[in-house]
Amino acid sequence: MSTEAIAAEKPKRNYNALFGLTLLALLVLLWIILSVSTQSFASANNISNLLRQGSMIAILAVGQTFVIITGGIDLSVGAVVGFATVIAAMLINAGVPVFLAILITLLVGVAIGMFHGFGIVKMGLPPFIITLATLTSLRGIGLLMTNGNSISINNDAFQEFSRNSFVGVPNLFWMVILVGIPAYIFLHHSRWGRYLFSVGSNAEASRLSGVNVQRTIYMAYTLSGLCAAFVGVLLASRIGIGNPTQAEGWELQAIASSVIGGTSLFGAVGSVHGPLLGAFILATINNGANLLNVNAFWQRIITGALIIIIVYFDGLRRRGK
């Protein structure tokens, strides 16, 4: 990396660190306000439920962030989650060992991500179109596979995993850490992570400088598919069924979490810790709104307003460069 690039990287890292601390302070402030304004928010049971609610969206948001950094979008992640619950349920009920069933489900997610990469790179389709097509197709395929019914999972140990805790922390939250740490190292401390930012900044300039742009796009969408399939496994464990209609709208929550976490929809800007915090900020808002008996419709309005505000200021920041 050149001296100029190193010099430019330092303020970017400082900005990411400062923004991350701001998000953390906002999350803490929300927890304090809700602890004072409601009787049950700070209870151990409610905090555990909040962590479980936010964990799966947080993992989805990490995968979505890889894609958005390249300047793309993945609208299929919610459908991939629902489809993955069906695959996992059918395999486990067929007597396939749980570990192997999980591995096959993850490989299905990888294959879907690679298909998206193929559609973008080789077929020249916009990311919005190819992932939107997958969203609708996977829902239909899943419904055909299940005849429109839910599949109950006949494995108690598989279901207990997502409902149990380790040292008082829900297992689902430990899965966020399991995904978050390698994702952080990959994005911020590897050349592959630098390639994602480079492609999002200027794909043609990246190609001329020796970056394999096509492979980088494949990698981003494959990681997104993998994260979505992993969330599908976790969701199947939590609810105990396989249903292709599950996780409807989760793609929008993942995008919202990523954007609230500082990822720019224009590409080339993002982090891992930001979307994770963004997911738990959204989960806290939704949880607090439920405890305060706020109409669920207002929760969606608040989320939409947050996205508009953050994207607007991101645009101002870009124009001010």
Side-chain angles (χ1 to χ4, degrees):
M1 187 179 290
S2 66
T3 304
E4 293 81 1
I6 294 174
E9 188 71 16
K10 187 173 181 180
K12 183 188 292 185
R13 290 180 179 176
N14 291 339
Y15 170 80
N16 284 337
L18 179 61
F19 190 79
L21 289 173
T22 303
L23 290 174
L24 182 60
L26 175 59
L27 182 60
V28 172
L29 179 62
L30 285 172
W31 280 39
I32 292 173
I33 292 173
L34 290 170
S35 297
V36 173
S37 59
T38 66
Q39 294 181 347
S40 57
F41 178 82
S43 67
N45 184 55
N46 185 65
I47 295 299
S48 294
N49 286 335
L50 189 155
L51 292 178
R52 290 188 177 97
Q53 291 166 7
S55 292
M56 289 185 283
I57 299 298
I59 295 171
L60 269 189
V62 170
Q64 187 73 246
T65 297
F66 293 140
V67 169
I68 295 177
I69 286 175
T70 66
I73 198 80
D74 190 348
L75 297 178
S76 72
V77 293
V80 174
V81 171
F83 188 69
T85 67
V86 172
I87 298 298
M90 293 181 73
L91 289 172
I92 291 172
N93 286 354
V96 177
V98 171
F99 175 78
L100 184 57
I102 293 173
L103 179 60
I104 293 173
T105 304
L106 295 181
L107 289 176
V108 170
V110 168
I112 293 170
M114 293 183 69
F115 171 73
H116 291 153
F118 177 83
I120 295 166
V121 169
K122 299 299 184 181
M123 300 175 66
L125 297 174
F128 180 90
I129 297 300
I130 184 67
T131 59
L132 179 63
T134 306
L135 183 157
T136 57
S137 299
L138 285 180
R139 297 288 190 195
I141 294 171
L143 289 169
L144 285 173
M145 292 172 62
T146 62
N147 291 319
N149 299 314
S150 297
I151 302 175
S152 297
I153 299 175
N154 303 318
N155 189 302
D156 292 337
F158 177 73
Q159 296 181 50
E160 287 174 2
F161 173 80
S162 64
R163 302 168 187 173
N164 290 339
S165 301
F166 177 68
V167 296
V169 179
N171 287 343
L172 288 181
F173 186 77
W174 287 112
M175 295 300 99
V176 175
I177 297 175
L178 180 67
V179 171
I181 292 176
Y184 177 85
I185 295 172
F186 169 82
L187 185 62
H188 299 289
H189 297 284
S190 76
R191 61 191 178 102
W192 299 107
R194 291 194 294 272
Y195 290 166
L196 293 177
F197 287 106
S198 178
V199 170
S201 177
N202 190 318
E204 182 59 22
S206 299
R207 185 185 66 80
L208 293 175
S209 64
V211 174
N212 191 323
V213 174
Q214 294 186 357
R215 183 184 299 170
T216 303
I217 291 174
Y218 269 110
M219 178 174 60
Y221 284 90
T222 298
L223 289 173
S224 180
L226 176 62
C227 287
F230 184 51
V231 171
V233 171
L234 297 178
L235 180 61
S237 173
R238 187 180 186 196
I239 63 179
I241 63 172
N243 189 318
T245 63
Q246 290 293 323
E248 186 173 357
W250 283 22
E251 60 278 349
L252 300 181
Q253 292 188 48
I255 294 170
S257 299
S258 187
V259 170
I260 290 171
T263 307
S264 173
L265 287 174
F266 301 101
V269 176
S271 65
V272 169
H273 57 273
L276 293 180
L277 289 169
F280 286 105
I281 287 172
L282 279 183
T284 298
I285 292 173
N286 293 334
N287 182 272
N290 288 331
L291 294 177
L292 293 170
N293 294 319
V294 176
N295 192 306
F297 298 146
W298 279 107
Q299 298 177 29
R300 298 191 177 197
I301 294 172
I302 292 170
T303 300
L306 280 173
I307 295 173
I308 291 173
I309 292 169
I310 291 173
V311 173
Y312 172 72
F313 281 105
D314 181 48
L316 291 181
R317 180 185 62 81
R318 287 171 58 84
R319 289 193 292 271
K321 285 186 176 181

